Amino acid sequence: MVSTSNGNGVNGGQNGVKLNGKRHAGEGLDRPHPQTSFIESTIDPQSFYGKMRKLYSEKVLMTQLKQLKKQGSYDAFDLKWHPSYDLARLHKGHFSPWGFPPTLFWDSDVGKWIEAVCYFLNSPDGANCAHKSVFDASVQELINKIEKAQLPDGYLNIYFMVVDPEGRYQNFRDMHEMYNAGHLLEAALAHHHYSGSRQFLDIMLRNVECWMRDIGPNEGQIHAYPGHPELELAMLRLFDRTKDPRHFDFAKYLITERGKKRDDLGGDSFFVYERKKRNDPHHVMEFALTLYHDLSYNQSHAPLSEQDSIVGHSVRALYLTTAAADLGGEGLTYAKRMWDDAVDNKMYVVGGFGSEPRFEGFHKCPHWLPDSFGLGYLETCAAIAAMMTAERLLSHQLDGKVRDVMELALLNAVLGGGSLNGEQFAYANTLATIGDENATRKDWFTVCCCPPNLSRTLGLLGGYTWSSRIDYDNQVINLDIYLFVSAKKNIALPDGSIAEVQMITEMPWTGKTTLSVNAPADWSWGVRVPTPEYAANIEIDTPTLPDVPGYVSVRLDASATVSITFDLPTRLIANHPLTTQDTLTVSRGPIVYTAESYDNSDLESKYKHFQGLGIKSSSSFQETPLEIEGIPMVGLSTAPGDVWLLEEAYKNQPYRAVSDKRPARTWTRLEGQKLTFVPWFARANRGGAGHVRTSFLRADEA
Amino acid sequence: MVSTSNGNGVNGGQNGVKLNGKRHAGEGLDRPHPQTSFIESTIDPQSFYGKMRKLYSEKVLMTQLKQLKKQGSYDAFDLKWHPSYDLARLHKGHFSPWGFPPTLFWDSDVGKWIEAVCYFLNSPDGANCAHKSVFDASVQELINKIEKAQLPDGYLNIYFMVVDPEGRYQNFRDMHEMYNAGHLLEAALAHHHYSGSRQFLDIMLRNVECWMRDIGPNEGQIHAYPGHPELELAMLRLFDRTKDPRHFDFAKYLITERGKKRDDLGGDSFFVYERKKRNDPHHVMEFALTLYHDLSYNQSHAPLSEQDSIVGHSVRALYLTTAAADLGGEGLTYAKRMWDDAVDNKMYVVGGFGSEPRFEGFHKCPHWLPDSFGLGYLETCAAIAAMMTAERLLSHQLDGKVRDVMELALLNAVLGGGSLNGEQFAYANTLATIGDENATRKDWFTVCCCPPNLSRTLGLLGGYTWSSRIDYDNQVINLDIYLFVSAKKNIALPDGSIAEVQMITEMPWTGKTTLSVNAPADWSWGVRVPTPEYAANIEIDTPTLPDVPGYVSVRLDASATVSITFDLPTRLIANHPLTTQDTLTVSRGPIVYTAESYDNSDLESKYKHFQGLGIKSSSSFQETPLEIEGIPMVGLSTAPGDVWLLEEAYKNQPYRAVSDKRPARTWTRLEGQKLTFVPWFARANRGGAGHVRTSFLRADEA
């Protein structure tokens, strides 16, 4: 029998009814969520990831608390009028899809911040957080506000309780009612897990009862699902806590109902039925036809089983994919299909997603990933959502490629969303600037989904690091390593004793990792060790067994130490050929590099945003020490003179005939010049305009 | 003294007051417009261009008449309610920028069709048009409707006379009032020129009086200008007919006022002032902020003198540039600056413009010209507008590069807008399909600006062919050749005699042209002959003098014959490097080629839309005869086995590390396979899905 170490025992103990076994073949939740399993891990505060986490617990969470207070969302559950609602009032009766105020999302912003705080304070090292008393008090104050705000029937939503009470349940497509509820529910689960108090969880259980009463497949219920998926995955996590089959069924309904046409909706799917019923004014309909009424924007254009490519709003798509993966069964089939399309055809080299700024989404065309015009979108939340999906996929089936992408997203597209002084954030991220757009991070955003999403991701990082399952029959502790993080993990054994594993690593800068395990003598270990795609000359000082691609297995006695070493050569990465962009990107290990104006002021000012510059496939790079805001990193630079200019780039010659005698490209060496690169996630942290270029023209001959 | 042969004498003679000389240094209109000078030219009906013109006069104009009647625009000047106006009525008081009905443009659609008919019937060969009686009757019927519709104060506009009378003069930014008037005025000028009747021209002169009374810089006037430029260039053409300085001044006001901030508008420019005065509902403002309120969409974001790049809606931008070029002086400076930016940085290889489908416009980024994803916009009207600008620039100063682009646009992006059976049209054009979007042409469009714009362009083709000026002092007839067209041109000399020039050419398929001139014995000729960028081994059997780049001069006696021959090698065209697209496009002379599924069904069905296929810089091409809808052309194909596959294109490997040992590209020869190419303008004329690819990956080694 294989069971779960669900890491739920530290402060828990007030859980609901246990479910007797899985409900359906292939479905269910015997895979611990990182949002609970993280508490088994202690991340070394002196390590790279430890320092990043310290940045978030010590600085970022406080920055965000101040911003939430300044913005108004912190006090919004007082249900008083806020000046920013004036905008909303103008719209009543004249709904326009872009006419709703950003206050529509305030519940979720507060929710994600509470969730993040609870993860940090619930971590084994959480007591070290300097702001614990402030955070505890703020969280309690917010919960009290939320409790007071809740309607007798369990409904909770700032916008529809203050601004537009008649609008409740009128527009599930756009108005984020269930999205907000999902984030509050995740916050409540984190708070219950952290504090042991049922106050917030009980509020949200009442809210969930409200949803389950009003929404669903049965007669008399509204056959809705969320325009922005989120409640789905929160419900599955709630089910993991309560084992209440109604919670599982509601999640399953929300996921699998999506995009289905129903006879009792006049043959339409829900959002079409709902729109017709609303009878939106024509001008909304016309505009919306090009965006909101394109149901692929919210992935409701077809039932999940009929969707063959990942489309629409990136965060919606990847939240949905996460929930579907967690659901298992046909959901997992869908999730794998969407994931493969996202990764193989629609992913930027930094593990970022979304190349269509117009709707923050996946472009309909595979390989439409322009990387040289400052125009990719790469929303921070989308990269976080990709980590979420990856983790759920790995929980079902280990896969080195999925792991590699999760690590790639974390170390590049996710971490790049925050400044290293803890004060600024990126919503959209850019691989190359063309003007100043998205060159530097901002203090805050009117729609501020990304910053607290970053915090909660760093908060539960231990949950993304590894996953363990206990094989009782054979007395084997199975450990799947996802990330190379200096951390300890305690795994509770059935007899109450604790097995320990410690990973000490110099990653992501040096491929040197030591893994020590320690369990009672009658136990052994089955550890699955990543062999990342970027690693060269991997050496493991213990016999290994083949495993899934990207992994090897080692069998270890109760106590053992394994050394894993590999080289991290600097590599030049070519885009997929169908992008038609023949550029090279510098990377080293899981880190993607960028050239920034700060280090290359002469070259950048002469060749604005490094346009027309190239590097060769044969180039070698020098490693240089680099420290930004106290975080040591590895910098890179080309050899002097190994920077190449395509002079045609500066000619007013839109098109040029080429032949075997007139080559398409002729490169001029820029004597004595070199390009210096820094990790892309660390860009725009040292002042300056933040002009960057990540992909350089390939300067090979011919 | 250099004066003008303005070609105005055939049916004219009822012009208004003559202006005594030019009004301002560097300004004025001593350069004949092609819309009048075309009547000097007779295009050989058996030649390529003659056959294209015959297609339009015999088939396309009739197709369009039927469509205008079917759509409702033909009868719209009856000022009766039309069902499609119901949409508009819903909007009254709730204006949304995308909420207005397409009926808003109906005046202009009818106007352009009348204009086109008049050009064809006014051509020396016009009497041959089989539909002359139908067209004459229809034009007269339309003019009678328009006359009856006009308000006593001269105002004319279907939308604001039927649908929203209170809306007149409330939104010059979006509602096309002056745009419509401009097209009707151009139609009236063409009709007057053709028929000698003043009926339509007098209607439009009353309309012009209405505009000049109500709009202008003076106190008591509305300080507006058209959201979509058009009236500007029509007014300059009117001035050319009337020489009424008020007409010139009004055109100059409309052009130069654009984007200027005025104290008497509260320090705003007009569209900002107007919006504030309208007090648009918030939801409109918010959406519009991203598009319509971005004043660069309509080129009013700054005074023309401060605009340094061409931005916004492509047709608006290029109509404005045309008018500014025609104005001369500071307008010409502006036009040259915009033209250079458009051509050098924002032009597709087929002479198409507009790479931003979202607003049918120029992308803000130079070299953002993705050509492999079926997503360029390349609106047919934008290419026509580029021809219009080019002709005005050439009228000021001959320039081989401007000429080359005018010819490129005509033979590719313009002609490609119509099917060769005369029944279908393209609004947006695509260089490569990815699905079926824009793969085939459509019968008609809800917004049908492009089809009649094509017709009028073909109608006045003789005006684009060449330009002549008479040097009285030296008795020299100066002739600038713009296009290689088999045509005769009669040039009236001051003594009433006629000088003749005849061009016989096999262009655009063979570089063989004979030019014969014949004038009274005491005259001589100064002919400027293009030396196109695409031509090789140019031979002219007469001594030539150097001239501006892209031209040579020949001095000829009164009667002489010159032979001009050059080779038209098939060339492979590389994009500007800053597009970062390393592709090759097949072209031959001024014709750009494409591979279509019709000729390459095996390759296209195997490698969907030819994805992952490449050609080499060293490839040679075989010429093959081709005839589509009775029009002979040159087809091209690669040698068998000279098609290359990049196998990586079919691997699920989003990024790949490359080095000097692992080349970025490895090409596999597709043994025995060849690619067949047809002129891009002739694509999608023989059935099939119309899947095309114009730019192929460059398959050179390394």
Side-chain angles (χ1 to χ4, degrees):
Chain A
M1 187 186 82
V2 174
S3 184
T4 307
S5 107
N6 72 3
N8 203 2
V10 175
N11 293 299
Q14 304 189 43
N15 288 347
V17 184
K18 286 277 179 192
L19 179 70
N20 295 321
K22 289 192 288 182
R23 300 199 62 258
H24 306 282
E27 293 178 334
L29 292 161
D30 59 353
R31 306 170 311 284
H33 290 97
Q35 290 89 348
T36 49
S37 69
F38 75 95
I39 63 158
E40 298 175 353
S41 297
T42 309
I43 295 176
D44 175 6
Q46 296 308 312
S47 69
F48 171 75
Y49 289 106
K51 287 186 176 177
M52 291 303 304
R53 273 175 49 84
K54 191 173 165 67
L55 170 68
Y56 277 78
S57 67
E58 298 288 311
K59 292 188 181 169
V60 172
L61 285 175
M62 188 55 84
T63 298
Q64 294 177 346
L65 177 60
K66 285 178 186 161
Q67 292 288 357
L68 290 170
K69 287 186 173 178
K70 185 175 163 193
Q71 187 171 40
S73 41
Y74 185 90
D75 292 316
F77 273 111
D78 290 340
L79 305 187
K80 293 177 182 153
W81 194 262
H82 186 276
S84 70
Y85 299 167
D86 290 344
L87 177 61
R89 184 138 61 178
L90 286 170
H91 294 295
K92 287 173 62 179
H94 299 297
F95 170 73
S96 157
W98 285 10
F100 50 71
T103 54
L104 197 64
F105 318 110
W106 277 3
D107 324 48
S108 68
D109 301 332
V110 167
K112 278 187 277 191
W113 184 82
I114 294 174
E115 188 187 349
V117 165
C118 291
Y119 292 149
F120 276 105
L121 295 181
N122 200 16
S123 297
D125 59 356
N128 298 328
C129 175
H131 307 300
K132 177 172 161 46
S133 59
V134 174
F135 291 163
D136 276 336
S138 297
V139 166
Q140 188 57 54
E141 184 175 41
L142 285 166
I143 293 169
N144 292 344
K145 286 174 194 282
I146 293 168
E147 184 167 48
K148 201 169 157 204
Q150 188 169 35
L151 292 182
D153 75 342
Y155 187 78
L156 247 184
N157 184 289
I158 297 167
Y159 183 84
F160 289 112
M161 283 155 63
V162 179
V163 184
D164 185 13
E166 299 80 24
R168 172 176 166 178
Y169 292 172
Q170 298 305 305
N171 186 345
F172 287 99
R173 186 188 69 186
D174 307 316
M175 300 304 272
H176 291 72
E177 277 168 291
M178 287 194 265
Y179 168 82
N180 280 322
H183 276 302
L184 289 174
L185 176 55
E186 288 205 278
L189 288 165
H191 183 255
H192 173 239
H193 193 198
Y194 159 54
S195 70
S197 158
R198 287 191 65 117
Q199 183 187 6
F200 195 9
L201 184 58
D202 282 342
I203 295 167
M204 292 314 299
L205 284 170
R206 287 193 293 275
N207 184 244
V208 163
E209 290 299 322
C210 170
W211 294 119
M212 294 194 303
R213 179 192 67 223
D214 296 344
I215 312 293
N218 301 318
E219 208 180 321
Q221 288 184 306
I222 304 169
H223 308 319
Y225 34 83
H228 193 314
E230 160 62 26
L231 185 57
E232 298 89 331
L233 54 88
M235 286 302 303
L236 288 172
R237 290 197 42 230
L238 178 65
F239 168 69
D240 189 37
R241 188 72 50 90
T242 64
K243 302 296 188 227
D244 181 340
R246 298 181 312 132
H247 294 162
F248 182 87
D249 287 345
F250 187 57
K252 185 174 180 184
Y253 159 78
L254 293 177
I255 295 166
T256 57
E257 181 65 18
R258 198 172 198 88
K260 284 188 181 162
K261 294 180 179 179
R262 291 179 70 110
D263 289 341
D264 57 359
L265 299 179
D268 289 322
S269 64
F270 182 75
F271 292 150
V272 175
Y273 159 81
E274 182 196 50
R275 170 175 62 74
K276 289 180 179 171
K277 187 165 161 238
R278 267 199 315 275
N279 195 20
D280 287 339
H282 246 67
H283 60 271
V284 175
M285 295 179 64
E286 274 187 283
F287 165 55
L289 275 171
T290 70
L291 180 53
Y292 283 73
H293 282 206
D294 180 346
L295 296 168
S296 66
Y297 171 73
N298 55 44
Q299 299 82 39
S300 73
H301 52 297
L304 270 51
S305 60
E306 294 171 21
Q307 296 185 25
D308 57 5
S309 64
I310 192 160
V311 292
H313 188 268
S314 308
V315 182
R316 295 178 196 233
L318 287 165
Y319 274 31
L320 177 62
T321 302
T322 302
D326 202 15
L327 179 66
E330 62 178 299
L332 180 60
T333 305
Y334 169 81
K336 284 179 174 172
R337 195 165 66 240
M338 296 301 107
W339 175 263
D340 285 346
D341 188 41
V343 167
D344 289 337
N345 302 322
K346 301 184 175 182
M347 180 177 76
Y348 282 99
V349 68
V350 290
F353 297 86
S355 57
E356 176 49 278
R358 188 164 65 95
F359 55 84
E360 306 184 313
F362 288 104
H363 206 282
K364 63 182 174 183
C365 294
H367 308 295
W368 173 274
L369 295 161
D371 62 8
S372 298
F373 294 88
L375 297 162
Y377 201 72
L378 299 97
E379 182 178 338
T380 302
C381 280
I384 291 169
M387 287 184 65
M388 288 160 48
T389 299
E391 189 283 330
R392 285 293 83 192
L393 292 176
L394 292 173
S395 80
H396 282 282
Q397 185 178 349
L398 204 64
D399 181 321
K401 188 173 171 186
V402 176
R403 185 219 79 86
D404 285 358
V405 171
M406 185 172 87
E407 185 185 45
L408 180 75
L410 170 61
L411 283 166
N412 299 280
V414 174
L415 285 188
S419 69
L420 296 176
N421 65 3
E423 289 174 6
Q424 296 188 307
F425 307 95
Y427 188 118
N429 294 273
T430 186
L431 289 164
T433 50
I434 193 82
D436 290 324
E437 195 177 354
N438 295 331
T440 54
R441 297 181 188 80
K442 304 288 176 289
D443 288 347
W444 205 241
F445 305 96
T446 310
V447 174
C448 64
C449 51
C450 298
N453 218 354
L454 278 171
S455 296
R456 63 181 192 142
T457 303
L458 270 295
L460 61 85
L461 193 62
Y464 283 113
T465 302
W466 38 25
S467 175
S468 60
R469 297 186 195 202
I470 296 173
D471 177 347
Y472 295 96
D473 295 341
N474 300 302
Q475 300 245 108
V476 177
I477 305 161
N478 291 303
L479 178 73
D480 295 348
I481 297 176
Y482 296 163
L483 299 172
F484 295 99
V485 176
S486 287
K488 284 184 195 166
K489 183 180 174 83
N490 289 342
I491 301 165
L493 297 178
D495 65 357
S497 64
I498 299 288
E500 289 177 336
V501 52
Q502 177 165 22
M503 181 159 44
I504 298 172
T505 182
E506 295 175 29
M507 284 289 285
W509 310 112
T510 307
K512 193 172 172 187
T513 303
T514 306
L515 192 74
S516 306
V517 296
N518 188 23
D522 49 346
W523 287 78
S524 68
W525 296 77
V527 181
R528 307 215 279 180
V529 177
T531 55
E533 180 264 340
Y534 53 72
N537 305 321
I538 301 174
E539 289 187 11
I540 299 176
D541 65 352
T542 300
T544 61
L545 298 166
D547 205 302
V548 297
Y551 271 90
V552 292
S553 298
V554 292
R555 295 300 305 256
L556 300 175
D557 292 337
S559 294
T561 295
V562 182
S563 165
I564 305 146
T565 61
F566 44 73
D567 296 336
L568 296 178
T570 299
R571 304 192 305 161
L572 290 168
I573 304 293
N575 286 330
H576 192 282
L578 293 187
T579 62
T580 73
Q581 294 162 193
D582 196 5
T583 53
L584 295 175
T585 301
V586 178
S587 78
R588 184 178 175 282
I591 304 284
V592 175
Y593 283 75
T594 195
E596 186 181 352
S597 45
Y598 182 89
D599 304 292
N600 305 279
S601 58
D602 287 354
L603 280 175
E604 197 276 322
S605 63
K606 185 163 184 190
Y607 306 102
K608 303 293 175 205
H609 304 270
F610 307 99
Q611 288 185 95
L613 299 188
I615 50 183
K616 287 186 183 289
S617 297
S618 58
S619 291
S620 60
F621 292 81
Q622 188 177 354
E623 299 182 1
T624 50
L626 174 70
E627 186 172 306
I628 301 178
E629 295 282 352
I631 299 182
M633 309 177 194
V634 172
L636 294 171
S637 58
T638 65
D642 200 11
V643 186
W644 302 82
L645 173 66
L646 192 56
E647 286 182 352
E648 288 88 357
Y650 286 86
K651 288 187 182 155
N652 287 334
Q653 191 174 354
Y655 299 102
R656 225 160 51 83
V658 304
S659 66
D660 43 358
K661 295 178 195 68
R662 288 199 292 178
R665 302 272 190 268
T666 47
W667 295 97
T668 305
R669 182 191 291 276
L670 296 181
E671 294 290 347
Q673 299 283 342
K674 66 174 183 175
L675 278 169
T676 296
F677 293 84
V678 298
W680 180 78
F681 81 82
R683 73 194 184 279
N685 272 299
R686 295 165 295 164
H691 293 174
V692 294
R693 181 158 300 264
T694 310
S695 298
F696 282 76
L697 295 171
R698 184 168 65 92
D700 302 339
E701 296 308 322
Chain B
M1 188 186 81
V2 173
S3 183
T4 307
S5 107
N6 72 5
N8 202 3
V10 174
N11 293 301
Q14 302 187 46
N15 288 348
V17 184
K18 285 277 178 191
L19 179 72
N20 295 320
K22 289 191 289 182
R23 301 200 62 261
H24 305 282
E27 293 179 333
L29 293 162
D30 59 353
R31 304 169 314 284
H33 290 97
Q35 290 89 348
T36 50
S37 69
F38 76 95
I39 62 158
E40 298 175 353
S41 298
T42 309
I43 295 175
D44 175 7
Q46 296 308 313
S47 68
F48 170 76
Y49 289 106
K51 288 186 176 177
M52 290 302 304
R53 272 174 52 84
K54 192 173 165 66
L55 171 68
Y56 277 78
S57 68
E58 299 288 312
K59 293 189 181 168
V60 173
L61 284 175
M62 188 56 83
T63 298
Q64 294 177 346
L65 177 60
K66 286 177 187 162
Q67 291 289 357
L68 290 170
K69 287 186 174 178
K70 185 175 165 194
Q71 186 170 43
S73 41
Y74 186 90
D75 291 317
F77 272 111
D78 291 340
L79 305 187
K80 293 176 183 153
W81 194 262
H82 186 277
S84 70
Y85 299 167
D86 290 343
L87 177 61
R89 185 138 59 178
L90 286 170
H91 294 295
K92 287 175 62 180
H94 300 296
F95 170 73
S96 157
W98 284 9
F100 51 69
T103 55
L104 197 65
F105 318 109
W106 277 4
D107 323 49
S108 68
D109 301 332
V110 167
K112 277 187 278 191
W113 184 82
I114 295 175
E115 189 187 350
V117 165
C118 291
Y119 293 148
F120 276 104
L121 295 180
N122 199 16
S123 297
D125 60 356
N128 298 327
C129 174
H131 308 299
K132 176 172 160 47
S133 59
V134 174
F135 291 163
D136 276 336
S138 297
V139 166
Q140 188 57 53
E141 186 176 40
L142 284 167
I143 293 170
N144 292 344
K145 287 175 192 281
I146 293 169
E147 185 167 48
K148 201 171 157 204
Q150 188 168 36
L151 291 182
D153 75 342
Y155 187 78
L156 248 184
N157 185 290
I158 297 166
Y159 184 84
F160 289 112
M161 283 155 64
V162 179
V163 185
D164 186 13
E166 300 80 25
R168 172 176 166 178
Y169 292 174
Q170 298 305 306
N171 186 345
F172 287 99
R173 187 188 67 185
D174 306 315
M175 301 303 274
H176 291 70
E177 276 168 291
M178 288 194 264
Y179 168 83
N180 280 323
H183 275 302
L184 289 174
L185 177 54
E186 288 205 278
L189 288 164
H191 183 254
H192 173 240
H193 193 197
Y194 159 55
S195 68
S197 158
R198 286 192 64 118
Q199 183 188 5
F200 195 8
L201 185 59
D202 282 342
I203 296 168
M204 292 314 298
L205 283 170
R206 288 192 293 275
N207 184 244
V208 163
E209 290 299 320
C210 170
W211 293 118
M212 294 194 303
R213 178 192 66 223
D214 295 342
I215 312 293
N218 301 317
E219 207 179 322
Q221 289 183 304
I222 303 169
H223 308 319
Y225 33 84
H228 193 313
E230 161 62 25
L231 185 58
E232 297 89 330
L233 53 89
M235 286 302 303
L236 288 172
R237 291 198 41 229
L238 178 65
F239 167 69
D240 189 37
R241 188 73 51 91
T242 64
K243 302 296 187 229
D244 181 339
R246 297 180 312 133
H247 294 161
F248 183 87
D249 288 345
F250 187 57
K252 184 174 179 183
Y253 158 78
L254 293 178
I255 296 167
T256 58
E257 181 66 18
R258 197 172 197 87
K260 283 187 182 163
K261 294 180 177 178
R262 292 178 68 111
D263 289 342
D264 57 359
L265 297 179
D268 288 323
S269 64
F270 182 76
F271 292 150
V272 175
Y273 159 81
E274 184 195 48
R275 170 176 61 76
K276 289 181 180 172
K277 188 165 161 239
R278 267 200 315 275
N279 195 20
D280 287 339
H282 246 65
H283 60 270
V284 176
M285 295 178 63
E286 273 186 284
F287 164 55
L289 275 171
T290 69
L291 179 55
Y292 284 73
H293 283 207
D294 179 347
L295 296 168
S296 66
Y297 171 72
N298 54 45
Q299 300 81 40
S300 74
H301 53 296
L304 271 51
S305 60
E306 294 170 21
Q307 295 184 25
D308 58 4
S309 64
I310 193 159
V311 292
H313 188 268
S314 306
V315 183
R316 294 177 196 234
L318 287 165
Y319 274 31
L320 177 62
T321 302
T322 301
D326 203 15
L327 180 68
E330 62 178 299
L332 181 59
T333 305
Y334 169 81
K336 285 179 173 170
R337 195 165 64 241
M338 293 304 105
W339 175 263
D340 285 347
D341 188 40
V343 167
D344 289 337
N345 303 322
K346 300 182 175 182
M347 181 176 75
Y348 282 99
V349 68
V350 290
F353 297 87
S355 58
E356 176 49 277
R358 189 166 64 97
F359 54 85
E360 306 184 311
F362 287 104
H363 206 280
K364 63 182 175 182
C365 294
H367 307 295
W368 173 275
L369 295 161
D371 61 8
S372 299
F373 294 88
L375 297 161
Y377 201 72
L378 299 96
E379 182 178 339
T380 302
C381 279
I384 292 169
M387 285 185 66
M388 289 160 48
T389 299
E391 188 283 329
R392 286 293 82 191
L393 292 175
L394 293 173
S395 79
H396 282 283
Q397 187 179 348
L398 204 64
D399 181 322
K401 186 174 171 185
V402 175
R403 187 217 80 83
D404 285 357
V405 171
M406 186 171 86
E407 186 186 45
L408 179 75
L410 170 61
L411 283 166
N412 299 282
V414 175
L415 286 189
S419 69
L420 296 176
N421 65 4
E423 290 175 6
Q424 296 188 306
F425 307 95
Y427 188 119
N429 294 275
T430 186
L431 289 164
T433 49
I434 193 83
D436 290 324
E437 195 177 355
N438 295 330
T440 54
R441 296 181 189 80
K442 304 289 175 289
D443 288 346
W444 205 242
F445 305 96
T446 311
V447 175
C448 64
C449 50
C450 299
N453 218 354
L454 277 170
S455 295
R456 63 180 193 142
T457 303
L458 271 294
L460 61 86
L461 194 63
Y464 282 113
T465 302
W466 36 24
S467 174
S468 60
R469 297 185 195 204
I470 296 172
D471 178 349
Y472 295 98
D473 295 341
N474 300 302
Q475 300 245 110
V476 176
I477 305 160
N478 291 301
L479 178 73
D480 296 348
I481 297 176
Y482 296 163
L483 298 173
F484 295 99
V485 176
S486 287
K488 284 183 193 166
K489 182 180 175 82
N490 289 343
I491 300 165
L493 297 177
D495 66 358
S497 63
I498 298 288
E500 289 177 337
V501 53
Q502 178 165 20
M503 180 159 43
I504 298 172
T505 183
E506 296 175 28
M507 285 289 285
W509 310 112
T510 308
K512 191 171 171 188
T513 303
T514 306
L515 193 74
S516 305
V517 297
N518 188 23
D522 49 346
W523 287 79
S524 68
W525 296 78
V527 181
R528 307 215 279 180
V529 177
T531 53
E533 180 265 340
Y534 53 72
N537 307 320
I538 300 174
E539 289 186 12
I540 299 176
D541 65 352
T542 302
T544 62
L545 298 165
D547 205 303
V548 296
Y551 272 91
V552 293
S553 298
V554 292
R555 296 301 305 256
L556 299 175
D557 292 337
S559 294
T561 296
V562 182
S563 164
I564 305 146
T565 60
F566 44 73
D567 296 336
L568 295 178
T570 299
R571 305 192 306 161
L572 290 169
I573 304 294
N575 286 331
H576 192 283
L578 293 187
T579 62
T580 73
Q581 293 162 194
D582 196 5
T583 53
L584 295 175
T585 300
V586 178
S587 78
R588 183 179 175 281
I591 304 285
V592 175
Y593 282 76
T594 195
E596 187 181 352
S597 45
Y598 182 89
D599 304 293
N600 304 278
S601 58
D602 287 355
L603 280 176
E604 197 276 322
S605 63
K606 184 161 183 191
Y607 307 102
K608 303 293 173 203
H609 305 269
F610 307 100
Q611 289 185 95
L613 299 188
I615 49 182
K616 287 187 183 287
S617 297
S618 58
S619 292
S620 59
F621 292 81
Q622 188 177 354
E623 299 182 1
T624 50
L626 175 70
E627 185 172 306
I628 301 179
E629 296 282 351
I631 299 181
M633 309 176 194
V634 173
L636 295 172
S637 58
T638 64
D642 200 10
V643 185
W644 302 81
L645 172 66
L646 192 55
E647 287 182 352
E648 288 88 357
Y650 287 86
K651 289 187 182 156
N652 287 335
Q653 189 174 358
Y655 299 102
R656 224 161 51 84
V658 304
S659 67
D660 44 359
K661 293 176 197 69
R662 289 199 292 178
R665 302 273 190 268
T666 47
W667 295 97
T668 304
R669 181 191 292 274
L670 295 182
E671 293 293 346
Q673 299 283 342
K674 66 175 182 174
L675 278 169
T676 296
F677 293 84
V678 297
W680 179 78
F681 82 83
R683 73 194 183 278
N685 272 299
R686 296 165 294 164
H691 293 174
V692 294
R693 180 157 302 263
T694 311
S695 298
F696 282 76
L697 295 170
R698 184 168 66 91
D700 302 339
E701 295 308 320

